[in-house]
Every structure is written in C-alpha cells, then in structure tokens.
Amino acid sequence: MANSMMDQDILRVLHSEEEIHARVQELGSQIYEEFKDRNPLFVGVLKGCFLFMADIIRACQIKSEIEFIAVSSYGNARESSGNVQITRDLGHDITGRDLIVVEDILDSGNTLYFLTQYFMTKGAASVTIVTLFDKPERREKPIKADYVGFQVPNEFIVGYGLDYRQQYRNLPYVGVLKPEIYE
Ligand code: PRP
C-alpha cells in the first residue's frame, strides 16, 4: 500500500496491520470458547472501538448481538478529565444480558470503571472487558480487562481507531505519534 501523508507524523510503528490481525484472531477464538453456549451482547465504546469491533465480531463466530455506546472524558485533551459523559446511550435493554464490552484502549480506567458500574446498574448479568491495548502504567481506577490484545508503553499512540484530535483513526497500524505534532 502507498505511504500516506499521515505516515510522516509517525515516529515508529508499534504494531503492524498483520500483527494486529493475528492477535485479534487469537482473542476471537478465546472469546468464542468462553461464550459459545451463551448469547452475549457485544457493546462497542465509540468512537475508538469501531475498527476493533468490526474485526473482533468476525473473529468470533458465535450467535450474538451488537450495540454501541459513546462516551467522552477527554475532549481534545491528552489527560482524562475523570468526568465521563455518555454522549450516546445504548439502544437495548441489557437486563440479564452477558455483555462483552469492546474498547480500543484502557488507559486511566476512568471510562471502563464508570461503564462497568453503569451496566451493572442497568441490570447486566455480567460484564466482560475486551481491550485491544492496555496502558497499565496510567491506571487511576481499579479496573482490569479480561482480554487484552497488547500491553503498550506510556507513549502517545494513534491508528486502528485511536486518534489525536480526531485524526489518524484510519491508519491500518498503530504507531507512536511524533511529539512535535502534539507539543
Ligand atoms: C478513549 C478510548 C477509551 C478511553 C480510554 O476514548 O477510546 O474509550 O479513551 O481512556 P481511559 O481509560 O483513560 O478512560 P476518548 O474519550 O478519547 O474518545 P474516542 O473513543 O471517541 O476517541
């Protein structure tokens, strides 16, 4: 594939498209084994999840449904405000459902801590967290994912759904953004 203009803003590739694809297939198989006898509801956390969601549900061929919720705690900032707002709510009754929450990245943990409580309050039977990337060094809330694609260092990463000021989400790989772009 031709290099894009966006590639020039990337310091180094952290996980290639092929590596991400292979890991998503592995995660899909593991989730399949755990959930094959149930009818889970995959809940994607917008917007960052959109590519991972599309890939993980195809890597996991079980009877299931999908839903999305959109939240915001960052705005255009680099640090989570800790104040998580639902900007688009679920369109489904989740009472008694087994949820598989799909995230692109678990960072401070503010988003998933808030959402786990929210889903349990709404009557979910269980909440299983799947995140493609995990930055444990940044954690502020006591929350752990059940399935993690890759642990990543505390660097500014973009691509495969992850943005900087809403851009770079369409890069097929995940890379470290050059500091001069955001400093
Ligand atoms: C990002 C990401 C997670 C959240 C993780 O979303 O998609 O939802 O931050 O960070 P946390 O663990 O510190 O809460 P963001 O609010 O940037 O919105 P986006 O998905 O639209 O990019």
Side-chain angles (χ1 to χ4, degrees):
M1 192 187 301
N3 284 353
S4 74
M5 295 290 285
M6 292 182 289
D7 291 336
Q8 299 167 9
D9 298 343
I10 303 301
L11 192 62
R12 67 176 200 283
V13 175
L14 198 59
H15 294 292
S16 67
E17 185 175 3
E18 295 73 23
E19 221 183 321
I20 292 170
H21 177 76
R23 187 68 184 122
V24 173
Q25 299 309 306
E26 287 175 0
L27 290 175
S29 302
Q30 291 168 8
I31 295 167
Y32 176 89
E33 286 305 319
E34 182 177 347
F35 285 92
K36 62 186 175 208
D37 300 325
R38 295 192 256 171
N39 179 30
L41 176 64
F42 284 88
V43 179
V45 185
L46 292 170
K47 300 179 208 160
C49 77
F50 75 107
L51 292 176
F52 181 40
M53 180 75 160
D55 288 345
I56 194 79
I57 58 168
R58 286 179 294 174
C60 187
Q61 292 288 310
I62 44 177
K63 272 189 117 169
S64 54
E65 293 160 48
I66 64 164
E67 251 303 336
F68 291 96
I69 192 166
V71 295
S72 178
S73 68
Y74 281 79
N76 275 337
R78 287 177 52 209
E79 300 289 326
S80 166
S81 66
N83 176 21
V84 182
Q85 311 264 358
I86 295 176
T87 55
R88 179 209 182 271
D89 207 345
L90 297 168
H92 237 93
D93 178 10
I94 59 169
T95 309
R97 299 300 303 268
D98 293 312
L99 305 191
I100 302 175
V101 180
V102 177
E103 261 288 23
D104 51 336
I105 190 162
L106 174 52
D107 192 318
S108 71
N110 284 321
T111 302
L112 282 173
Y113 185 76
F114 170 86
L115 282 177
T116 301
Q117 291 186 328
Y118 179 71
F119 293 143
M120 294 312 286
T121 306
K122 290 268 175 187
S126 66
V127 175
T128 298
I129 295 173
V130 185
T131 187
L132 187 55
F133 300 107
D134 185 12
K135 264 189 192 173
E137 277 176 64
R138 297 250 303 174
R139 203 75 87 250
E140 293 171 13
K141 290 280 181 1
I143 188 110
K144 266 184 74 177
D146 300 282
Y147 294 92
V148 174
F150 304 96
Q151 281 205 0
V152 289
N154 187 12
E155 291 179 283
F156 201 116
I157 60 172
V158 293
Y160 195 74
L162 292 159
D163 74 308
Y164 170 61
R165 300 203 163 184
Q166 303 302 327
Q167 297 189 14
Y168 306 101
R169 293 192 198 271
N170 53 337
L171 281 174
Y173 59 84
V174 163
V176 177
L177 193 62
K178 286 181 179 169
E180 60 259 38
I181 306 293
Y182 56 84
E183 276 172 353

